[in-house]
Amino acid sequence: MPITLRDVAEQAQVSVRTVSNVVAGYTHVSERTRLRVQAAIEELDYRPNLVARTLRTGRTGVLALVVPEIDVPYFAELAREVIDAAAELGYRVMVDQTGHDHERERRLLTGADRTMLFDGVLFSPLVTPGELAEMEPSRSMPLVLLGEHDFDGRYDHVAIDNVQAAHDATAHLIARGRTRVAAIGTQPDEDYTTPRQRTLGYERALHEAGLTPDRELLRPAAHYRRADGYDAASALLTLPQPPDAIFCYSDLLAMGAMRAVFDAGARVPDDVAVIGIDDIEEGQYTHPSLSTVSLDTPFIARQAVGRIAERISDPDTPAIEVTAPHTLVERESTTSTT
Amino acid sequence: MPITLRDVAEQAQVSVRTVSNVVAGYTHVSERTRLRVQAAIEELDYRPNLVARTLRTGRTGVLALVVPEIDVPYFAELAREVIDAAAELGYRVMVDQTGHDHERERRLLTGADRTMLFDGVLFSPLVTPGELAEMEPSRSMPLVLLGEHDFDGRYDHVAIDNVQAAHDATAHLIARGRTRVAAIGTQPDEDYTTPRQRTLGYERALHEAGLTPDRELLRPAAHYRRADGYDAASALLTLPQPPDAIFCYSDLLAMGAMRAVFDAGARVPDDVAVIGIDDIEEGQYTHPSLSTVSLDTPFIARQAVGRIAERISDPDTPAIEVTAPHTLVERESTTSTT
DNA sequence: TTGTAGGCGTTATCAA
DNA sequence: TTGATAACGCCTACAA
């Protein structure tokens, strides 16, 4: 039996309308009644029922953050920033995992779950956009894409320049004197724009340096987890002509790759240099520490949340594309020192 | 203008009551009308409004998972399992970060935010329970504690045996021939039960081995992050008599400690053995890989979610205490091999 | 088996 | 400035 507006109204000898006004802080209420209402609220320990408010106003104050796996450090760090940024704007965040389940991703996007539970969706697909391209951007559910950058302007997105980032990472390896540069993280499915863009940047850097891409050195990774990097790197190291450097499409892949190098009896960076993308905290503490392309995750989160808030208040605002900055961070995994 | 029950009823030429019955799947509905209703639902693409349903039934189908920081790998892995376990029971999960903000933790617990947004709370405090002890377990908000184990039976909790786990880790170091065993992770505030219990287990293992605890070797860690482990271990290594082993109260602390050992020009495990608690995935890939006490996180998550579901359906069910199993996992950081 | 009506707790409209 | 009252969309007695 929770306390309702009516209870407070009765206690304060006013109408519900007046209490509602006091709670909202909005309209003009005489100081005298206001104080009386406040007292009643305190005394009864009244808390507004958000669900009822939502039913009435159509707004829940909740955003959904959809990621493939929350325990992938990059997504966890992103979630942290998103939750904080959302809190500043008065939103709470619901985290959904799609777990590489395309059907689930699609359902979340088409709004099969859009049952008025949240006001907007921040979607960080590892993948999928192919499906998105065919979807009608439903005005009823504000959506901002994170990390994808290959659309036709019908959706908001916030992402880095993937081609440039991959280029920078590869060029860094080449500048350190490496000539057989491998890459881990391609996807068989051409729909996945992020890996495709990164491969593009990788190949562009090779060309600029006059190096010939070797098909053998381009490796897929089913997911972007440590085990995938481990497996791919292990395979690379058994080649007749193994690579002297590996560019991984995520830091987590790089963690697996580094371990694979050790297990093969080689050294990082002396025998094989390794670089990743994301700049997760883990990379500062590994031995050797991991060179990487750093994404400005707080910036991305703040932009995305700000964007969705704007779209919520004005659904017809035109879609925009925000490019987040990235910087190359050189650490031990690409710097021969010892 | 979303589709409502009434729209469907009109389209199918039946009453809302009948449509509701079909949606719920419950009551007896003639096959003929049922099909007609189904068709109408499909055609109009009707989705029940969860908010309205909630207002009526008092249930949201949402659980809150409260953790200090979602980007601490252990909490991220826990969140993953909780989200999955909750989904199996038809619940969605809202992740809240307290960020070491005691006031915020307290507000969440006292239910200042208990505005009917979720049906229950899974609370994994890094800390606090002191406050909890004084609180009235509010029957209005089902609560399950994760990782804490020191209460008087008024709350459900799911946790490992912290004393035993710490004892096992310490005993393992001693069994490997170490005699100056340090510990990182104590808290100045005695209210924090988990660190206190772990210190207890640590000291017990020392005593059993006939070793005298050295106050110098017992180090606090403000939070349980890599940087804290790094700082504490660095300080330990400058002692006149540095330790030959370090037991860290979390794997993340251990990651920082290992890095500190390297930066001090020493080796793990040859000069200093390191062991943690949690068994996060990261520890399998570091170099050297990290020995640890493995928690059965999927078990913990499933127990917790099951428990909260039970308490939601019967608020008066007596509080129980679930002890999750733990196992020692020996890896390279405590095994001299090379 | 199905229809009608009332209420969950808010906010918003319309008077007063 | 404040009061009464109608929605918001759903579920569920109570009837039929």
Side-chain angles (χ1 to χ4, degrees), chain A residues 203-224:
Chain A
E203 288 173 339
R204 187 172 298 172
L206 290 183
H207 279 118
E208 283 177 13
L211 296 172
T212 320
D214 180 347
R215 267 285 160 204
E216 286 285 350
L217 296 183
L218 200 55
R219 296 284 166 160
H223 306 325
Y224 277 15

Side-chain angles (χ1 to χ4, degrees), chain A residues 99-110:
Chain A
H100 304 283
D101 181 342
H102 284 220
E103 182 46 38
R104 191 145 166 228
E105 274 194 343
R106 218 173 48 73
R107 243 182 317 147
L108 277 163
L109 284 178
T110 56

Side-chain angles (χ1 to χ4, degrees), chain A residues 16-31:
Chain A
V16 279
R17 166 67 203 271
T18 305
V19 180
S20 180
N21 279 342
V22 171
V23 172
Y26 270 149
T27 338
H28 316 283
V29 179
S30 82
E31 200 53 24

Side-chain angles (χ1 to χ4, degrees), chain B residues 150-195:
Chain B
D150 203 30
F151 290 107
D152 46 18
R154 291 180 305 151
Y155 298 96
D156 291 302
H157 25 295
V158 182
I160 59 167
D161 181 340
N162 274 305
V163 179
Q164 187 63 43
H167 170 277
D168 293 353
T170 310
H172 169 71
L173 293 171
I174 297 169
R176 288 289 163 279
R178 312 293 167 148
T179 54
R180 279 190 65 73
V181 180
I184 297 178
T186 65
Q187 293 285 343
D189 188 333
E190 279 289 309
D191 275 349
Y192 303 167
T193 65
T194 297

Side-chain angles (χ1 to χ4, degrees), chain A residues 94-205:
Chain A
M94 194 134 167
V95 178
D96 272 300
Q97 287 188 136
T98 55
H100 304 283
D101 181 342
H102 284 220
E103 182 46 38
R104 191 145 166 228
E105 274 194 343
R106 218 173 48 73
R107 243 182 317 147
L108 277 163
L109 284 178
T110 56
D113 286 346
R114 149 187 54 110
T115 53
M116 307 275 97
L117 260 191
F118 25 77
D119 296 336
V121 179
L122 304 174
F123 183 44
S124 179
L126 201 49
V127 293
T128 38
E131 320 245 353
L132 263 188
E134 297 155 17
M135 281 175 43
E136 190 71 9
S138 89
R139 276 214 325 31
S140 62
M141 179 53 56
L143 172 68
V144 170
L145 290 170
L146 297 172
E148 288 293 340
H149 229 319
D150 204 30
F151 290 107
D152 45 17
R154 291 180 307 153
Y155 298 96
D156 290 302
H157 26 297
V158 181
I160 59 164
D161 181 339
N162 275 304
V163 178
Q164 187 64 41
H167 170 278
D168 293 353
T170 310
H172 170 70
L173 294 171
I174 296 169
R176 288 289 162 279
R178 311 293 166 149
T179 54
R180 278 189 65 73
V181 180
I184 296 177
T186 67
Q187 294 285 342
D189 189 333
E190 280 290 308
D191 274 350
Y192 303 167
T193 64
T194 297
R196 208 177 58 228
Q197 293 173 331
R198 292 186 179 175
T199 300
L200 210 63
Y202 160 77
E203 288 173 339
R204 187 172 298 172

